[in-house]
Amino acid sequence: MRSLILGGVRSGKSRHAESLAQAVAGPVTLIATGTAGDEEMAARIAAHRANRPSRWNVVEEPVHLARALARAALPGGVVIVDCLTLWLTNILCHEDPRMLDTEVEALAALLPDLPGVQILVGNEVGFGIMPVNALARRFGDVAGVLHQRLAGLCDSVVLMVAGIPLTVKAPEAGRGHHAGRRP
């Protein structure tokens, strides 16, 4: 079972992902992609750390997401990736320009074959105005294409608005979410 949770900043994406993970009886691994590049980001990371259950395994991986997912996914387990757009930022700012295609292709190829439950969290950035900066426009384009691709690979897609989950894509009949819950 794979779920994609999208939404704006502070829309409740992480909280919703965590509630879905807690509804599954198996072990939970969180793959955190953010890095503390400044004090504000360090504070955000610290707040997330303080609010998640201590029994969860945490893997910090800012670039090689497919490799981290392959190691973390277990039958009966849950992996949360938080978040895809921070991961994209890390890759777009990487010194190797081929890194973007390599890492995105690795993720897309791996995802359909992973055991357990995967919950992918990302910022929906396509609702805003067109940025004047070329890098920001590229980021929006790359994020939009990634989200479309992953939505096609996921069983469910949820858009978070003001803390409320809106189901964009529901699991097909007979493939419901664990514990009878729909993301």
Side-chain angles (χ1 to χ4, degrees), residues 34-46:
T35 58
D38 57 35
E39 287 183 30
E40 188 269 339
M41 190 62 177
R44 284 178 182 254
I45 291 171

Side-chain angles (χ1 to χ4, degrees), residues 58-129:
V58 176
V59 175
E60 294 182 0
E61 179 49 65
V63 175
H64 303 290
L65 180 55
R67 183 171 61 199
L69 263 167
R71 290 179 182 159
L74 302 170
V78 180
V79 179
I80 298 173
V81 174
D82 198 356
C83 92
L84 294 167
T85 41
L86 287 174
W87 171 67
L88 278 179
T89 300
N90 297 335
I91 294 171
L92 282 171
C93 295
H94 197 275
E95 59 197 34
D96 182 356
R98 296 168 298 179
M99 182 73 68
L100 176 65
D101 290 338
T102 301
E103 290 297 321
V104 169
E105 289 305 317
L107 175 61
L110 174 74
L111 198 57
D113 297 323
L114 288 174
V117 175
Q118 295 83 46
I119 303 170
L120 311 172
V121 178
N123 288 292
E124 178 52 68
V125 297
F127 292 141
I129 60 171

Side-chain angles (χ1 to χ4, degrees), residues 117-150:
V117 175
Q118 295 83 46
I119 303 170
L120 311 172
V121 178
N123 288 292
E124 178 52 68
V125 297
F127 292 141
I129 60 171
M130 181 63 88
V132 296
N133 173 301
L135 179 59
R137 284 191 303 273
R138 182 168 184 235
F139 173 79
D141 290 346
V142 169
V145 170
L146 175 69
H147 292 157
Q148 288 182 50
R149 191 165 183 191
L150 294 178

